[in-house]
Amino acid sequence: MCYDVAYLTQKKKKYAERHPDKDLEAIESYFDEKGNPIKPVFHTTGFDHPKLAVITLEKPDEFQLMEWGLIPSWVKDNDQAHQMHNKTINARSESMFEKPAFRKAAADKRCIVMVDGFFEHQHRKKEQVPHYISLKDNQPMSLAGIYEEWVNPENGLKKQTISIVTTQANSMMAEIHNSPKLKEPRMPLILPKELEEEWLNSIQDKVSKEQVEALIKPYDEKFMQAWPVKAVRGKKNRPQTHDIIEPQEYGEQLGLF
């Protein structure tokens, strides 16, 4: 799954290099005049519903900030929205076109979610060892997402929310995401730059749906890197510093390395 990410930890120029045609105004406040992050987020969880940098077909030339945890447009009230929020952090690629919570967004509201990397926990004996996963070239990572706009019936306020799409794990991620409780190892759907535009295109017919489904495959692990890090969840959470994503060596008691 993908419940934990790091974002805006890299300089603005890396986001600009990744998408030179995008307007960075939406995330401008996160950077200082030298392009360094003012508010880098080295770790956050989807259950905190942070706002992530997103690219959509509707506004392809800019980054928008959308809340993590999709709320479908048909949700009736705040209570239902709150309950739904925590259940839609991820959308399984195999079922997102059929599930009521996701199918409308999967059909015509797909997006790209920009992060620097994500975290996954590896099961070793009785321990869960967090790993940080990113791209080897240290560029921002484009995750496949879907989004919806929900209008609060109580006050008319609009909220744009997202889910991150997951797929089967590649061999590297299968070794890390090895929980015995899961039917299979998973990973977020990472989009190569040359396929991002195809992911954003609306589905107009069965053929184009098949073209979108063809994009759903594990990312090539040879372009990825991963290493163990210190605990990132619960009471062991630490301040937002680079130390969170620094490699951590574990001893023999965990059976690691």
Side-chain angles (χ1 to χ4, degrees), residues 75-85 150 152 154:
V75 167
K76 296 180 180 179
D77 53 47
N78 268 312
D79 288 341
Q80 188 180 13
H82 180 73
Q83 294 173 15
M84 182 69 70
H85 220 17
W150 179 67
N152 187 328
E154 296 179 9

Side-chain angles (χ1 to χ4, degrees), residues 1-4 90 92 118-124 128-133 166-188 224 226 233:
M1 309 305 286
C2 181
Y3 293 145
D4 306 78
N90 292 158
R92 290 178 66 93
F118 63 95
F119 297 84
E120 198 55 79
H121 288 72
Q122 183 183 52
H123 286 248
R124 292 285 183 174
Q128 293 187 42
V129 180
H131 284 62
Y132 178 65
I133 301 101
T166 66
T167 187
Q168 295 177 338
N170 58 28
S171 58
M172 184 189 87
M173 287 304 305
E175 185 175 340
I176 296 173
H177 193 221
N178 63 345
S179 172
K181 296 181 180 180
L182 299 176
K183 293 181 179 179
E184 63 177 6
R186 307 286 294 177
M187 68 180 292
M224 300 173 66
R233 291 181 180 169

Side-chain angles (χ1 to χ4, degrees), residues 240-254:
Q240 290 289 341
T241 67
H242 195 274
D243 182 57
I244 292 175
I245 60 175
E246 288 293 322
Q248 171 73 16
E249 292 187 9
Y250 285 83
E252 291 295 327
Q253 69 272 19
L254 295 183

Side-chain angles (χ1 to χ4, degrees), residues 69-88 99-102 104 148-159 161 163:
L70 187 142
I71 302 175
S73 57
W74 46 259
V75 167
K76 296 180 180 179
D77 53 47
N78 268 312
D79 288 341
Q80 188 180 13
H82 180 73
Q83 294 173 15
M84 182 69 70
H85 220 17
N86 286 333
K87 297 178 180 178
T88 54
K99 285 198 171 183
F102 300 130
K104 183 179 184 299
E148 280 259 37
E149 182 176 87
W150 179 67
V151 180
N152 187 328
E154 296 179 9
N155 54 27
L157 294 179
K158 297 178 180 180
K159 179 180 288 191
T161 57
S163 287

